[in-house]
């Protein structure tokens, strides 16, 4: 699947400084299969920012392709985008194993990679690169916040579970870094797994007083539905990926009251976020997710850099990206020395809003001005 979009002048929304020059962006994201919702939200948030930018986005061209959640497909698409389509910058990958397959080769070929989501620890530390930026987080961050939240809640014996791929390993590392109790069990599941009867039996027998799990996309939906009917009442805590807007409609009321952690929430009180949430609902007739918010911020970061520097002036464009002078839906936002975010991380609770729609509201702050654990390993 391939979509090429050139965003022209939208007079009604036009404002601000025009771009310094044209930028061609290659968006590689997941638009089919069990993880499609995450990629669709990423794409839609990114596209919305460009549409709202009006004249400032007139010279942006986006080439979008479906990676099918397969590393080999992602690599093939990236090679074609770089060698045939002539993109200046790549973005959009949801899954960390795909990012590890694509990002090192892309930056070695002199292309920027600006991540809307996947941010594995290796790329934050020893394999960091001056042309790689993570707008989202570093993979451990939401899980570190969950570990802190579990500690603050007084849990003493937590069962932890995640898929066996880079982001899953980062998730449990992050949780354990900030959780001060003991583990009732630690399990790595298969990527794409749909049957969790065995894991739920382990939870039941573990004596845990809480369960932390990271199961994004369809994996989380499957687990939550099975957990809700299992009779196990052990409280759940997780990152936003397991309780976000892309997941909640499928999970239903079983998610009500569950605490989860994120850098963003639809009720964050700043003007950029209010505009984003309202315009996303208007454009797509649904509430945005963390993936959509990160896609939106990524597009606005790129726009802010393109207004200052030609992408062909590599050093100047990189400097403009690192300045991060854009109105983030998260409020405060800056890059650390390894070009990963420094940001606040919140505790959210799943609720029903006034329209009866499942969503999240902020109930606390887990970590403030939080960076990542790997910046010291980055030698740029």
């Amino acid at each position: 699947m391939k979509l090429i979009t050139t965003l022209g002048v939208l007079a009604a929304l036009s404002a601000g400084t025009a771009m310094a020059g044209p930028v061609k962006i290659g968006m590689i994201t997941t638009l089919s299969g069990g993880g499609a919702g995450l990629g669709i939200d990423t794409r839609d948030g990114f596209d919305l920012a460009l549409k709202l930018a009006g004249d400032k986005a007139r010279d942006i061209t986006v080439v979008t392709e479906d990676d099918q959640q397969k590393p080999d497909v992602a690599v093939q698409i990236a090679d074609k985008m770089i060698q045939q389509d002539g993109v200046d910058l790549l973005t959009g990958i949801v899954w960390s194993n795909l990012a590890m397959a694509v990002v090192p080769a892309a930056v070695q070929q002199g292309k920027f990679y600006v991540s809307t989501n996947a941010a594995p620890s290796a790329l934050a530390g020893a394999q960091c690169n001056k042309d790689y930026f993570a707008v989202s987080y570093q993979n451990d961050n939401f899980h570190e916040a969950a570990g802190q939240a579990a500690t603050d809640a007084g849990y003493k014996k937590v069962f932890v579970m995640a898929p066996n791929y880079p982001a899953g390993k980062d998730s449990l590392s992050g949780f354990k870094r900030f959780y001060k109790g003991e583990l009732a069990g630690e399990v790595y599941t298969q990527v794409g797994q749909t049957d969790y009867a065995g894991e739920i039996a382990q939870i039941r027998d573990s004596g845990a007083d809480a369960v932390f799990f990271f199961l994004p996309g369809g994996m989380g939906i499957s687990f939550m539905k099975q957990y809700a009917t299992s009779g196990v009442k052990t409280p759940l805590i997780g990152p936003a990926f397991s309780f976000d807007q892309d997941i909640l409609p499928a999970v239903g009321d079983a998610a009500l009251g569950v605490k989860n952690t994120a850098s963003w929430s639809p009720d964050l009180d700043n003007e950029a976020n209010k505009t984003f949430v309202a315009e996303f609902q208007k454009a797509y007739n649904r509430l945005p997710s963390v993936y959509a918010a990160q896609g939106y911020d990524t597009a606005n970061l790129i726009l802010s850099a393109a207004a200052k520097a030609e992408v062909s002036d590599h050093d100047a464009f990189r400097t403009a990206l690192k300045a991060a002078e854009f109105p983030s839906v998260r409020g405060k936002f800056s890059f650390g020395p390894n070009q990963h975010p420094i940001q606040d991380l919140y505790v959210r609770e799943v609720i029903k809003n006034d329209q009866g729609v499942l969503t999240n509201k902020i109930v606390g702050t887990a970590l403030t001005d939080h960076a990542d654990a790997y910046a010291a390993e980055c030698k740029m």
Side-chain angles (χ1 to χ4, degrees):
M1 176 179 177
K2 178 178 179 180
L3 175 65
I4 301 180
T5 306
T6 303
L7 292 154
V9 178
L10 301 178
L13 296 170
S14 174
T17 306
M19 290 179 58
V23 180
K24 192 169 189 179
I25 299 169
M27 172 165 282
I28 305 169
T29 199
T30 305
L31 302 174
S32 61
L38 317 187
I40 289 168
D41 271 14
T42 298
R43 178 200 63 192
D44 288 353
F46 192 95
D47 285 353
L48 178 65
L50 298 182
K51 290 173 184 175
L52 295 180
D55 191 45
K56 291 187 290 183
R58 69 172 183 259
D59 290 327
I60 292 273
T61 301
V62 182
V63 182
T64 301
E65 295 206 34
D66 177 13
D67 59 35
Q68 303 170 44
Q69 204 178 327
K70 298 176 181 177
D72 58 330
V73 173
V75 168
Q76 291 168 12
I77 293 170
D79 287 345
K80 185 181 73 64
M81 285 182 169
I82 292 169
Q83 295 162 17
Q84 298 178 28
D85 297 332
V87 301
D88 303 298
L89 180 153
L90 292 167
T91 191
I93 292 176
V94 172
W95 306 91
S96 289
N97 53 333
L98 276 65
M100 288 303 300
V102 168
V103 173
V107 295
Q108 285 173 12
Q109 294 177 76
K111 303 300 177 183
F112 290 104
Y113 190 92
V114 184
S115 183
T116 57
N117 191 64
S121 55
L123 298 181
Q127 295 183 49
C128 68
N129 187 281
K130 62 184 180 180
D131 291 334
Y132 170 73
F133 292 80
V135 182
S136 49
Y137 42 65
Q138 190 281 314
N139 278 356
D140 298 24
N141 288 166
F142 286 15
H143 318 289
E144 290 170 334
Q148 185 63 54
T151 298
D152 293 344
Y155 293 128
K156 304 297 185 184
K157 192 175 181 182
V158 177
F159 188 99
V160 300
M161 180 171 65
N164 189 15
Y165 78 119
K169 294 175 181 177
D170 287 349
S171 74
L172 297 194
S173 294
F175 181 85
K176 290 185 288 186
R177 189 174 294 121
F178 280 78
Y179 172 59
K180 304 306 181 186
E182 63 177 291
L183 296 183
E186 181 174 357
V187 171
Y188 284 103
T189 63
Q190 294 180 5
V191 176
Q193 184 171 324
T194 58
D195 183 355
Y196 293 93
E199 288 79 8
I200 292 171
Q202 288 180 264
I203 293 168
R204 180 185 288 110
D205 296 339
S206 69
D209 59 3
V211 177
F212 168 78
F213 75 99
F214 165 58
L215 293 168
M219 293 181 285
I221 295 169
S222 296
F223 173 75
M224 279 299 300
K225 286 184 173 180
Q226 292 164 43
Y227 195 81
T229 60
S230 69
V232 180
K233 302 300 183 183
T234 309
L236 299 170
I237 187 169
F241 317 113
S242 301
F243 300 99
D244 206 16
Q245 213 60 49
D246 57 296
I247 296 284
L248 291 177
V251 172
D253 289 354
L256 280 170
V258 174
K259 304 294 197 305
N260 62 95
T261 46
S263 60
W264 173 85
S265 185
D267 59 329
L268 265 178
D269 189 13
N270 65 71
E271 287 306 313
N273 194 49
K274 290 176 182 177
T275 297
F276 163 62
V277 173
E279 293 291 341
F280 192 94
Q281 287 185 277
K282 180 180 175 181
Y284 304 114
N285 196 32
R286 67 182 191 274
L287 284 168
S289 66
V290 165
Y291 300 95
Q294 292 170 171
Y296 186 85
D297 267 1
T298 300
N300 279 316
L301 170 68
I302 294 167
L303 284 166
S304 73
K308 296 179 185 178
E310 299 270 358
V311 72
S312 57
D313 186 343
H314 214 79
D315 290 343
F317 195 84
R318 183 190 305 113
T319 298
L321 283 172
K322 189 157 189 176
E325 293 178 348
F326 71 100
S328 172
V329 297
R330 287 166 267 184
K332 292 186 297 180
F333 181 95
S334 62
F335 284 120
N338 59 348
Q339 297 171 175
H340 286 64
I342 297 173
Q343 58 190 336
D344 293 346
L345 295 162
Y346 304 99
V347 181
R348 314 186 308 174
E349 181 179 341
V350 179
I351 62 161
K352 278 189 177 178
N353 65 15
D354 293 340
Q355 290 75 46
V357 177
L358 287 166
T359 186
N360 284 279
K361 71 172 183 179
I362 294 173
V363 294
T365 301
L367 298 168
T368 302
D369 294 326
H370 186 64
D372 66 88
Y374 304 98
E377 300 172 21
C378 175
K379 309 299 181 185
M380 280 198 284

